[in-house]
Amino acid sequence: DGGITQSPKYLFRKEGQNVTLSCEQNLNHDAMYWYRQDPGQGLRLIYYSQIVNDFQKGDIAEGYSVSREKKESFPLTVTSAQKNPTAFYLCASSAPGRNTGELFFGEGSRLTVL
Amino acid sequence: AQKVTQAQTEISVVEKEDVTLDCVYETRDTTYYLFWYKQPPSGELVFLIRRNSFDEQNEISGRYSWNFQKSTSSFNFTITASQVVDSAVYFCALKVGRTSGSRLTFGEGTQLTVNP
């Protein structure tokens, strides 16, 4: 079935460690996004990529990094520079060449820093 | 800058009650799109509806209906005869301009609990 797969679903990290969250899609979508969800704050955009080998910072990019070497993959690295990394992270994609705003989401990765 | 406000943090109703989720948006753009997404306990957000700024016609889809009013910058969502399966977090979102891509600004979300 087509969709977005995020892994791992749950992740624990010690302070000072980098961690990479995986996001893979088989929808043939050009654009991909990473959002962070915190209680009471909705979703905030971290990074997005509209095409392979290109990506832009969102509203809260500090302490995060991404790459887009393949159309299907958009991994997010949470670095030790991120001051408050405990959150729920959602990856999304949108259809190619369309301006609809309709996003397809994965089931998320919950990161807890111990 | 854009902003979406969902003032209701949590709503609890009994099954079969009607419930309205409020959404107020702010933008200076004349071309924009409004959305509602549902986030069930599984975590992934599911697209429900999109409206553009030039179309204020209200929409009904089964038990769901949406009321878009530019005069009050609101895009409210009503569930008629609510069911336990409607329990979820609901997000209102805004996209401005005609540029390609789907960069959305989300509201804080409303947690809806429908009790049997």
Side-chain angles (χ1 to χ4, degrees), chain B residues 6-48:
Chain B
Q6 296 178 252
Q8 304 151 307
T9 305
E10 296 182 23
I11 299 176
S12 182
V13 299
V14 177
E15 207 169 19
K16 298 184 183 176
E17 283 186 29
D18 298 347
V19 57
T20 295
L21 310 181
D22 297 333
C23 173
V24 175
Y25 62 93
E26 297 175 28
T27 180
R28 293 185 176 181
D29 286 70
T30 55
T31 301
Y32 54 89
Y33 301 82
L34 295 162
F35 305 82
W36 276 95
Y37 281 83
K38 174 182 180 179
Q39 185 180 37
S42 60
E44 64 186 287
L45 275 74
V46 177
F47 168 83
L48 295 178

Side-chain angles (χ1 to χ4, degrees), chain B residues 7-90:
Chain B
Q8 304 151 307
T9 305
E10 296 182 23
I11 299 176
S12 182
V13 299
V14 177
E15 207 169 19
K16 298 184 183 176
E17 283 186 29
D18 298 347
V19 57
T20 295
L21 310 181
D22 297 333
C23 173
V24 175
Y25 62 93
E26 297 175 28
T27 180
R28 293 185 176 181
D29 286 70
T30 55
T31 301
Y32 54 89
Y33 301 82
L34 295 162
F35 305 82
W36 276 95
Y37 281 83
K38 174 182 180 179
Q39 185 180 37
S42 60
E44 64 186 287
L45 275 74
V46 177
F47 168 83
L48 295 178
I49 190 171
R50 174 186 67 252
R51 304 300 289 176
N52 71 58
S53 53
F54 302 109
D55 183 4
E56 284 191 76
Q57 194 169 24
N58 292 330
E59 182 156 337
I60 298 174
S61 175
R63 296 184 297 106
Y64 294 171
S65 63
W66 291 269
N67 185 325
F68 176 25
Q69 292 195 341
K70 288 177 75 171
S71 60
T72 56
S73 297
S74 65
F75 186 45
N76 297 337
F77 173 28
T78 298
I79 301 175
T80 303
S82 59
Q83 300 176 2
V84 172
V85 294
D86 295 327
S87 296
V89 181
Y90 291 86

Side-chain angles (χ1 to χ4, degrees), chain A residues 84-101:
Chain A
N84 185 20
T86 294
F88 188 55
Y89 292 89
L90 285 157
C91 180
S93 68
S94 62
R98 297 181 64 185
N99 193 29
T100 65

Side-chain angles (χ1 to χ4, degrees), chain A residues 33 35 37 40 42-43 45 48 50 57-59 88 90 94 99-103 105-107, chain B residues 33 35 37 39 42-45 47 50 91 95 97-104 106-108:
Chain A
Y33 309 79
Y35 283 90
Q37 183 177 6
L43 278 70
L45 183 64
Y48 64 105
Q50 296 196 30
K57 293 182 179 179
D59 301 318
F88 188 55
L90 285 157
S94 62
N99 193 29
T100 65
E102 180 178 351
L103 297 176
F105 284 85
E107 291 192 341
Chain B
Y33 301 82
F35 305 82
Y37 281 83
Q39 185 180 37
S42 60
E44 64 186 287
L45 275 74
F47 168 83
R50 174 186 67 252
F91 290 96
K95 168 179 152 54
R98 298 181 185 273
T99 56
S100 61
S102 297
R103 179 172 179 167
L104 304 183
F106 284 85
E108 304 90 339

